[in-house]
């Protein structure tokens, strides 16, 4: 067997191109993240992102062959941000699971209300089904945390089903709150009571209440 030879060092020209390519790719995603936050998911066209990035309308296809590739990269940023928000602080992994669920759920709702355009993009079924840029590897672990915590609170239940129902409930609260429907129905501008009620409905009443 012939001994393998090390890969040649990249030339300065090649290194420069690689750095430049990475920089433009990042800029295109940055522009998309800003655009979705300002104008919503419907504004995310390749042409508009290219225009705002100051490149030709065909340039994004060098890095994102399809519109879906670019949308997936933008959504990936949203999942990364959400994961950072709901990740427990060091040492809190073994904290009261009910308390962690309340904190996670509150963080989820806050993210949805502060980032409506990104939130809408992240949970489009076609993106999650596409497998583009390993979005499942970013999104499903978040659901896994929910399942694990629910299982600790309700060991007698189907934790995956309860977690899915809780997630659906949170999603509904986020959507209806954004539209102003729940404020009108409940006469309050605070979603905390709704969140407590949702947690009680899926996890049972909290001890001492």
């Amino acid at each position: 067997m012939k001994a393998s030879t090390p890969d040649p060092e990249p030339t300065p020209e090649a290194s420069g191109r690689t750095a430049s390519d990475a920089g433009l790719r990042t800029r295109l995603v940055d522009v998309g993240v800003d655009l979705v936050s300002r104008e919503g998911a419907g504004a995310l066209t390749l042409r508009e992102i290219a225009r705002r990035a100051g490149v030709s309308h065909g340039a994004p296809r060098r890095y994102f062959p399809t519109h879906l590739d670019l949308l997936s990269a933008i959504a990936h940023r949203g999942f990364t941000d959400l994961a950072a928000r709901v990740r427990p602080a060091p040492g809190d992994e073994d904290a009261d699971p009910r308390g962690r669920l309340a904190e996670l759920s509150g963080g989820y709702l806050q993210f949805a209300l502060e980032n409506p355009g990104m939130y809408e993009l992240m949970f489009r079924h076609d993106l999650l089904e596409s497998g583009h840029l390993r979005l499942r590897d970013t999104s499903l672990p978040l659901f896994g945390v929910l399942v694990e915590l629910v299982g600790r609170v309700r060991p007698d239940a189907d934790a995956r089903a309860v977690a899915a129902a809780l997630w659906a409930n949170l999603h509904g609260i986020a959507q209806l709150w954004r539209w102003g429907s729940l404020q009108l129905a409940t006469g309050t501008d605070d979603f905390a009571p709704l969140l407590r009620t949702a947690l009680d409905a899926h996890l049972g009443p909290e001890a001492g209440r």
Side-chain angles (χ1 to χ4, degrees):
M1 181 182 296
K2 294 177 67 175
S4 61
T5 57
D7 293 333
E9 291 292 325
T11 64
E13 294 79 4
S15 297
R17 281 197 304 272
T18 300
S20 176
D21 288 350
L24 180 52
R25 186 186 188 284
T26 299
R27 187 161 88 249
L28 290 167
V29 177
D30 288 343
V31 167
V33 169
D34 181 68
L35 184 58
V36 77
S37 70
R38 293 174 183 273
E39 301 183 26
L44 292 174
T45 66
L46 284 172
R47 184 178 292 273
E48 182 60 16
I49 290 173
R51 186 186 72 79
R52 297 195 183 206
V55 298
S56 69
H57 69 267
R61 295 196 182 277
R62 292 169 54 194
Y63 315 99
F64 306 101
T66 69
H67 188 210
L68 185 59
D69 287 306
L70 180 52
L71 293 182
S72 296
I74 296 167
H76 190 277
R77 287 277 190 90
F79 279 114
T80 301
D81 184 14
L82 177 58
R85 291 183 182 222
V86 302
R87 185 179 300 123
D92 285 354
E93 293 84 355
D94 297 323
D96 168 47
R98 176 76 180 236
R100 280 193 59 200
L101 274 170
E103 185 176 353
L104 185 155
S105 299
Y108 179 90
L109 288 178
Q110 203 65 50
F111 176 88
L113 298 175
E114 291 174 1
N115 305 275
M118 178 63 83
Y119 180 75
E120 176 190 352
L121 177 66
M122 287 163 58
F123 293 103
R124 277 179 49 181
H125 180 74
D126 55 344
L127 285 184
L128 294 182
E129 283 295 308
S130 72
H132 280 57
L133 298 182
R134 306 179 70 84
L135 275 183
R136 286 178 174 275
D137 292 349
T138 312
S139 60
L140 288 183
L142 295 176
F143 181 65
V145 171
L146 199 61
V147 172
E148 188 267 333
L149 291 172
V150 167
R152 290 170 58 190
V153 175
R154 291 195 55 191
D156 59 317
D158 180 342
R160 185 166 293 273
V162 173
L166 174 57
W167 179 25
N169 202 162
L170 294 174
H171 191 82
I173 291 174
Q175 288 287 76
L176 292 172
W177 197 265
R178 280 180 50 213
W179 294 334
S181 303
L182 286 175
Q183 295 92 318
L184 181 64
T186 62
T188 179
D189 290 325
D190 181 11
F191 64 71
L194 285 171
L195 176 55
R196 286 195 298 270
T197 301
L199 291 170
D200 286 350
H202 297 290
L203 304 176
E206 188 174 7
R209 276 186 30 217

